[in-house]
Amino acid sequence: QGLEAAMVASEAVGAFRSTTSVSPREILQTLNRALCGQGRHGFVTCLCARIEEDGRMTLATAGHPAPYADGVECEVPGGLPLGLS
């Protein structure tokens, strides 16, 4: 399982490096498309954040637990892990 997990992670990193979007949602969609249909069994959980200069943050999650800020869990809509559908 270690080698297969490494291959899935490698595919995710490659897809991330090839995207030009700055939208967390679009980035996760690109990663999901890259991982689906590869014939591999596995998935990736991911949290993608864009932080603006003024401190505003946009989050998108794919099966990853919500982040905490100042000891409080942030409310983020859930999503399926990448590579499942």
Side-chain angles (χ1 to χ4, degrees), residues 35-78:
L35 294 175
C36 284
Q38 293 296 322
R40 299 195 194 292
H41 301 290
F43 60 89
V44 175
T45 66
C46 186
L47 177 76
C48 187
R50 179 178 179 190
I51 303 170
E52 303 289 341
E53 288 183 22
D54 65 2
R56 287 181 300 136
M57 185 169 25
T58 304
L59 295 171
T61 184
H64 203 73
Y68 280 75
D70 296 322
V72 178
E73 185 175 0
C74 299
E75 291 188 33
V76 180

Side-chain angles (χ1 to χ4, degrees), residues 17-33:
R17 288 182 177 164
S18 71
T19 187
T20 57
S21 179
V22 295
S23 162
R25 178 179 179 229
E26 290 176 10
I27 291 170
L28 293 184
Q29 288 173 335
T30 298
L31 296 177
N32 192 55
R33 280 192 299 271

